[in-house]
Amino acid sequence: MTSSVRKQEQVRRALERLSPFETSCTLCPRDCRVDRTRGAEGVCRTGRLAAVSHALLHFGEEPVISGRSGSGTVFFTGCNLKCLFCQNYQLSWLLEGGPVTDGELAAIMLDLQKKGAHNINLVSPSHVVLPVLRALRIALEEGLDIPLVWNSNGYDSVEVVQALEGIVDIYLPDLKYYSPALSKRYSAAPDYFAKASEAVREMALQRPALDLGGDGTARRGLVVRHLMLPGAVDDTLVLVKWIGENLSPYIGLSLMSQYHPCFRAPEEIQRGVSPEEYRRAADAALALGLDHLFLQPEPFRADEHLVPDFRKEKPFRWK
Ligand code: SF4
Protein backbone atom coordinates (compact mmCIF):
# COMPACT_ATOMS: atom_id res chain seq x y z
CA MET A 1 0.00 0.00 0.00
CA THR A 2 1.46 3.41 -0.95
CA SER A 3 1.53 6.12 1.71
CA SER A 4 -1.15 8.08 -0.19
CA VAL A 5 -3.50 5.09 -0.31
CA ARG A 6 -2.83 4.46 3.39
CA LYS A 7 -3.65 8.08 4.16
CA GLN A 8 -6.85 7.90 2.14
CA GLU A 9 -7.91 4.90 4.21
CA GLN A 10 -7.07 6.76 7.44
CA VAL A 11 -9.11 9.77 6.28
CA ARG A 12 -12.03 7.47 5.56
CA ARG A 13 -11.79 6.00 9.06
CA ALA A 14 -11.45 9.41 10.71
CA LEU A 15 -14.55 10.65 8.91
CA GLU A 16 -16.45 7.59 10.02
CA ARG A 17 -15.38 8.21 13.61
CA LEU A 18 -15.88 11.99 13.76
CA SER A 19 -18.83 12.68 11.43
CA PRO A 20 -21.42 11.71 14.09
CA PHE A 21 -20.14 14.69 16.14
CA GLU A 22 -21.47 17.09 13.52
CA THR A 23 -25.06 17.16 14.76
CA SER A 24 -24.17 17.64 18.44
CA CYS A 25 -20.74 19.15 18.22
CA THR A 26 -18.08 18.08 20.70
CA LEU A 27 -15.26 18.40 18.18
CA CYS A 28 -13.30 20.60 20.59
CA PRO A 29 -13.25 21.03 24.38
CA ARG A 30 -15.94 23.73 24.24
CA ASP A 31 -18.51 20.91 23.90
CA CYS A 32 -21.18 23.23 22.50
CA ARG A 33 -23.40 20.32 21.40
CA VAL A 34 -24.94 22.38 18.60
CA ASP A 35 -26.06 20.96 15.26
CA ARG A 36 -23.41 22.18 12.84
CA THR A 37 -25.49 21.07 9.85
CA ARG A 38 -28.20 23.58 10.78
CA GLY A 39 -26.17 26.69 11.48
CA ALA A 40 -23.25 28.34 13.22
CA GLU A 41 -24.37 28.64 16.80
CA GLY A 42 -21.31 27.33 18.65
CA VAL A 43 -18.39 29.32 20.07
CA CYS A 44 -16.57 28.97 16.73
CA ARG A 45 -19.56 30.44 14.83
CA THR A 46 -19.01 27.89 12.07
CA GLY A 47 -21.56 25.66 10.39
CA ARG A 48 -20.98 22.65 8.18
CA LEU A 49 -18.65 24.31 5.68
CA ALA A 50 -15.25 25.82 6.37
CA ALA A 51 -14.65 29.47 5.52
CA VAL A 52 -11.27 30.69 4.31
CA SER A 53 -9.72 34.14 4.35
CA HIS A 54 -6.43 33.59 2.53
CA ALA A 55 -4.40 30.74 1.08
CA LEU A 56 -0.78 31.65 0.34
CA LEU A 57 2.86 30.67 0.45
CA HIS A 58 4.00 31.71 3.93
CA PHE A 59 7.62 32.68 4.51
CA GLY A 60 7.33 33.74 8.15
CA GLU A 61 6.85 30.41 9.92
CA GLU A 62 9.69 28.52 11.65
CA PRO A 63 12.42 27.72 9.06
CA VAL A 64 11.58 24.01 9.13
CA ILE A 65 8.01 24.87 8.12
CA SER A 66 8.53 27.72 5.64
CA GLY A 67 11.74 26.41 4.05
CA ARG A 68 12.86 28.18 0.90
CA SER A 69 9.70 27.79 -1.15
CA GLY A 70 7.17 28.68 1.53
CA SER A 71 4.54 26.88 3.54
CA GLY A 72 1.20 26.41 1.77
CA THR A 73 -0.91 28.12 4.38
CA VAL A 74 -4.69 28.14 4.61
CA PHE A 75 -6.16 30.68 7.04
CA PHE A 76 -9.56 29.57 8.25
CA THR A 77 -12.27 31.92 9.46
CA GLY A 78 -13.63 31.43 12.98
CA CYS A 79 -11.92 29.93 16.00
CA ASN A 80 -12.84 27.74 18.95
CA LEU A 81 -10.64 29.62 21.43
CA LYS A 82 -10.86 33.36 20.64
CA CYS A 83 -8.20 35.00 22.77
CA LEU A 84 -8.88 38.64 23.61
CA PHE A 85 -5.49 39.66 22.21
CA CYS A 86 -5.71 37.58 19.00
CA GLN A 87 -3.54 39.01 16.23
CA ASN A 88 -5.78 37.25 13.69
CA TYR A 89 -8.94 38.77 15.22
CA GLN A 90 -10.26 39.75 11.77
CA LEU A 91 -10.69 36.02 11.16
CA SER A 92 -11.25 34.55 14.62
CA TRP A 93 -13.65 37.16 16.01
CA LEU A 94 -14.90 39.17 13.04
CA LEU A 95 -15.33 36.10 10.79
CA GLU A 96 -13.89 37.74 7.69
CA GLY A 97 -13.50 35.28 4.82
CA GLY A 98 -15.84 33.29 2.63
CA PRO A 99 -17.33 29.78 2.79
CA VAL A 100 -15.74 27.10 0.63
CA THR A 101 -17.16 23.78 -0.44
CA ASP A 102 -15.14 20.66 0.31
CA GLY A 103 -14.19 20.51 -3.39
CA GLU A 104 -13.03 24.13 -3.36
CA LEU A 105 -10.92 23.50 -0.26
CA ALA A 106 -9.34 20.49 -1.96
CA ALA A 107 -8.57 22.67 -4.99
CA ILE A 108 -6.92 25.28 -2.73
CA MET A 109 -4.64 22.58 -1.28
CA LEU A 110 -3.75 21.22 -4.72
CA ASP A 111 -3.05 24.73 -6.00
CA LEU A 112 -0.64 25.42 -3.13
CA GLN A 113 1.16 22.16 -3.89
CA LYS A 114 1.40 23.19 -7.55
CA LYS A 115 2.91 26.52 -6.51
CA GLY A 116 5.78 24.64 -4.82
CA ALA A 117 4.65 24.69 -1.17
CA HIS A 118 6.64 22.42 1.16
CA ASN A 119 3.48 21.49 3.03
CA ILE A 120 -0.20 22.30 3.59
CA ASN A 121 -0.35 24.39 6.76
CA LEU A 122 -3.86 24.54 8.24
CA VAL A 123 -4.14 27.57 10.52
CA SER A 124 -6.85 27.26 13.23
CA PRO A 125 -8.20 23.95 11.93
CA SER A 126 -9.76 22.57 15.14
CA HIS A 127 -13.32 23.69 14.46
CA VAL A 128 -13.19 22.73 10.76
CA VAL A 129 -11.73 19.26 11.11
CA LEU A 130 -14.65 17.66 9.26
CA PRO A 131 -14.55 19.88 6.14
CA VAL A 132 -10.76 19.50 6.17
CA LEU A 133 -11.06 15.70 6.18
CA ARG A 134 -13.71 15.75 3.46
CA ALA A 135 -11.49 18.01 1.34
CA LEU A 136 -8.47 15.82 1.98
CA ARG A 137 -10.38 12.78 0.75
CA ILE A 138 -10.72 14.56 -2.61
CA ALA A 139 -7.25 16.13 -2.68
CA LEU A 140 -5.44 12.87 -1.88
CA GLU A 141 -7.26 11.12 -4.70
CA GLU A 142 -6.15 13.92 -7.00
CA GLY A 143 -2.48 13.71 -6.06
CA LEU A 144 -1.85 15.73 -2.90
CA ASP A 145 1.33 14.28 -1.45
CA ILE A 146 3.07 16.98 0.60
CA PRO A 147 3.05 16.90 4.43
CA LEU A 148 0.02 18.16 6.32
CA VAL A 149 0.60 20.62 9.18
CA TRP A 150 -1.96 20.95 12.02
CA ASN A 151 -1.34 24.54 13.17
CA SER A 152 -3.78 24.80 16.07
CA ASN A 153 -4.25 26.82 19.24
CA GLY A 154 -3.77 23.59 21.21
CA TYR A 155 -7.35 23.58 22.51
CA ASP A 156 -8.01 20.32 20.70
CA SER A 157 -10.07 17.33 21.67
CA VAL A 158 -7.87 14.33 22.35
CA GLU A 159 -10.34 12.11 20.49
CA VAL A 160 -9.98 14.28 17.38
CA VAL A 161 -6.18 14.11 17.63
CA GLN A 162 -6.39 10.32 17.96
CA ALA A 163 -8.52 10.21 14.81
CA LEU A 164 -5.88 12.27 12.97
CA GLU A 165 -3.15 9.67 13.54
CA GLY A 166 -1.41 8.90 10.26
CA ILE A 167 -3.12 11.86 8.54
CA VAL A 168 -1.34 14.81 10.13
CA ASP A 169 2.38 14.72 9.46
CA ILE A 170 3.47 17.72 11.50
CA TYR A 171 1.71 18.95 14.61
CA LEU A 172 2.30 22.65 15.28
CA PRO A 173 0.13 23.40 18.33
CA ASP A 174 0.29 26.36 20.66
CA LEU A 175 0.70 25.77 24.36
CA LYS A 176 -0.48 29.17 25.51
CA TYR A 177 -1.05 29.10 29.25
CA TYR A 178 -0.44 26.89 32.26
CA SER A 179 -2.45 28.99 34.69
CA PRO A 180 -6.25 28.51 34.62
CA ALA A 181 -6.60 32.11 35.83
CA LEU A 182 -4.75 33.41 32.75
CA SER A 183 -6.59 31.16 30.29
CA LYS A 184 -9.88 32.13 31.86
CA ARG A 185 -9.11 35.83 31.70
CA TYR A 186 -7.78 35.93 28.15
CA SER A 187 -9.58 33.03 26.46
CA ALA A 188 -12.59 32.23 28.66
CA ALA A 189 -11.18 28.70 28.96
CA PRO A 190 -10.08 27.86 32.51
CA ASP A 191 -9.51 24.25 31.39
CA TYR A 192 -7.10 25.29 28.61
CA PHE A 193 -3.97 23.63 30.01
CA ALA A 194 -5.83 20.52 31.16
CA LYS A 195 -7.20 19.97 27.65
CA ALA A 196 -4.27 21.25 25.59
CA SER A 197 -1.68 19.26 27.55
CA GLU A 198 -3.69 16.09 26.98
CA ALA A 199 -3.93 16.83 23.25
CA VAL A 200 -0.23 17.69 22.99
CA ARG A 201 0.76 14.48 24.81
CA GLU A 202 -1.22 12.53 22.19
CA MET A 203 0.50 14.47 19.39
CA ALA A 204 3.87 13.62 20.95
CA LEU A 205 2.95 9.94 21.13
CA GLN A 206 2.17 9.98 17.40
CA ARG A 207 5.08 12.18 16.34
CA PRO A 208 7.81 11.97 19.01
CA ALA A 209 10.66 13.26 16.85
CA LEU A 210 11.00 16.10 14.38
CA ASP A 211 12.18 14.51 11.17
CA LEU A 212 13.76 16.81 8.57
CA GLY A 213 14.20 16.10 4.88
CA GLY A 214 17.35 16.81 2.88
CA ASP A 215 16.21 20.39 2.25
CA GLY A 216 15.87 21.06 5.99
CA THR A 217 12.07 21.20 6.05
CA ALA A 218 9.99 19.04 8.35
CA ARG A 219 8.50 15.82 7.01
CA ARG A 220 7.01 14.62 10.27
CA GLY A 221 7.05 15.64 13.89
CA LEU A 222 5.88 17.99 16.58
CA VAL A 223 6.79 21.63 17.15
CA VAL A 224 5.15 23.22 20.21
CA ARG A 225 4.73 26.98 20.03
CA HIS A 226 4.54 29.28 23.01
CA LEU A 227 3.76 32.95 22.52
CA MET A 228 5.02 34.77 25.60
CA LEU A 229 2.70 37.31 27.17
CA PRO A 230 3.98 40.43 28.94
CA GLY A 231 4.02 40.10 32.71
CA ALA A 232 3.49 36.32 32.55
CA VAL A 233 7.05 35.03 32.44
CA ASP A 234 6.45 32.81 35.49
CA ASP A 235 3.69 31.03 33.56
CA THR A 236 6.07 30.57 30.63
CA LEU A 237 8.71 29.08 32.93
CA VAL A 238 6.25 26.52 34.33
CA LEU A 239 5.22 25.55 30.79
CA VAL A 240 8.83 25.18 29.66
CA LYS A 241 9.50 22.95 32.67
CA TRP A 242 6.40 20.87 31.85
CA ILE A 243 7.59 20.40 28.28
CA GLY A 244 11.01 19.25 29.50
CA GLU A 245 9.48 16.77 31.93
CA ASN A 246 6.68 15.41 29.76
CA LEU A 247 7.64 15.48 26.08
CA SER A 248 10.42 13.87 24.11
CA PRO A 249 13.69 15.82 23.73
CA TYR A 250 13.45 15.26 19.97
CA ILE A 251 10.46 17.54 19.43
CA GLY A 252 10.76 21.21 18.49
CA LEU A 253 9.93 24.15 20.75
CA SER A 254 9.29 27.58 19.31
CA LEU A 255 9.50 30.34 21.93
CA MET A 256 7.90 33.43 20.47
CA SER A 257 8.59 37.02 21.49
CA GLN A 258 6.38 38.67 18.87
CA TYR A 259 3.34 39.43 21.05
CA HIS A 260 1.76 42.75 20.12
CA PRO A 261 -1.44 43.99 21.79
CA CYS A 262 -4.40 43.57 19.44
CA PHE A 263 -8.17 43.67 19.47
CA ARG A 264 -9.45 43.60 23.08
CA ALA A 265 -6.14 43.04 24.90
CA PRO A 266 -6.69 44.21 28.49
CA GLU A 267 -4.75 47.06 30.05
CA GLU A 268 -2.07 44.88 31.73
CA ILE A 269 -0.95 43.39 28.40
CA GLN A 270 -0.91 46.63 26.43
CA ARG A 271 2.85 46.32 25.91
CA GLY A 272 5.31 43.92 24.33
CA VAL A 273 7.40 41.30 26.13
CA SER A 274 10.51 42.89 27.63
CA PRO A 275 14.03 41.73 26.66
CA GLU A 276 14.57 40.61 30.27
CA GLU A 277 11.40 38.50 30.25
CA TYR A 278 12.36 36.90 26.96
CA ARG A 279 15.93 36.17 28.06
CA ARG A 280 14.77 34.43 31.24
CA ALA A 281 12.46 32.19 29.22
CA ALA A 282 15.03 31.57 26.48
CA ASP A 283 17.64 30.53 29.10
CA ALA A 284 15.17 28.05 30.60
CA ALA A 285 14.29 26.67 27.15
CA LEU A 286 17.97 26.33 26.20
CA ALA A 287 18.62 24.42 29.42
CA LEU A 288 16.17 21.71 28.28
CA GLY A 289 18.67 20.62 25.61
CA LEU A 290 15.96 19.94 23.02
CA ASP A 291 17.07 18.92 19.54
CA HIS A 292 15.18 21.81 17.94
CA LEU A 293 14.67 25.13 19.70
CA PHE A 294 13.43 28.09 17.68
CA LEU A 295 14.06 31.47 19.25
CA GLN A 296 12.95 34.83 17.88
CA PRO A 297 15.07 37.94 17.90
CA GLU A 298 14.94 40.19 20.92
CA PRO A 299 11.38 41.42 21.41
CA PHE A 300 10.12 43.62 18.63
CA ARG A 301 9.73 47.37 18.79
CA ALA A 302 6.06 48.37 18.67
CA ASP A 303 6.46 49.75 15.14
CA GLU A 304 8.10 46.50 13.94
CA HIS A 305 5.25 44.20 14.86
CA LEU A 306 4.34 41.18 12.72
CA VAL A 307 0.57 41.54 12.97
CA PRO A 308 -1.00 40.61 9.63
CA ASP A 309 -3.77 42.62 8.01
CA PHE A 310 -6.13 40.17 6.35
CA ARG A 311 -8.00 42.97 4.63
CA LYS A 312 -5.05 43.21 2.26
CA GLU A 313 -4.32 40.85 -0.59
CA LYS A 314 -0.88 40.30 0.95
CA PRO A 315 -1.53 40.31 4.71
CA PHE A 316 2.10 39.92 5.85
CA ARG A 317 5.15 42.15 5.64
CA TRP A 318 8.04 39.70 5.89
CA LYS A 319 11.59 40.86 6.11
S1 SF4 B 1 -15.93 23.02 17.15
FE1 SF4 B 1 -17.17 24.89 17.42
S2 SF4 B 1 -19.28 24.18 17.76
FE2 SF4 B 1 -17.93 22.41 18.04
S3 SF4 B 1 -17.53 22.29 20.24
FE3 SF4 B 1 -15.87 23.50 19.33
S4 SF4 B 1 -16.46 25.67 19.42
FE4 SF4 B 1 -18.30 24.39 19.78
Side-chain angles (χ1 to χ4, degrees), residues 17-18 150 156-166 171 198-200 202-204 206:
R17 182 168 170 183
L18 299 181
W150 185 261
D156 285 307
S157 140
V158 75
E159 182 160 6
V160 168
V161 179
Q162 282 166 351
L164 294 173
E165 181 161 15
Y171 286 106
E198 200 186 0
V200 168
E202 171 61 29
M203 295 174 190
Q206 293 177 24

Side-chain angles (χ1 to χ4, degrees), residues 132-169:
V132 161
L133 288 168
R134 293 192 297 256
L136 267 178
R137 186 171 51 187
I138 302 168
L140 289 167
E141 265 173 26
E142 294 185 11
L144 186 77
D145 64 359
I146 52 180
L148 192 71
V149 182
W150 185 261
N151 182 344
S152 79
N153 53 43
Y155 200 49
D156 285 307
S157 140
V158 75
E159 182 160 6
V160 168
V161 179
Q162 282 166 351
L164 294 173
E165 181 161 15
I167 298 169
V168 169
D169 300 283

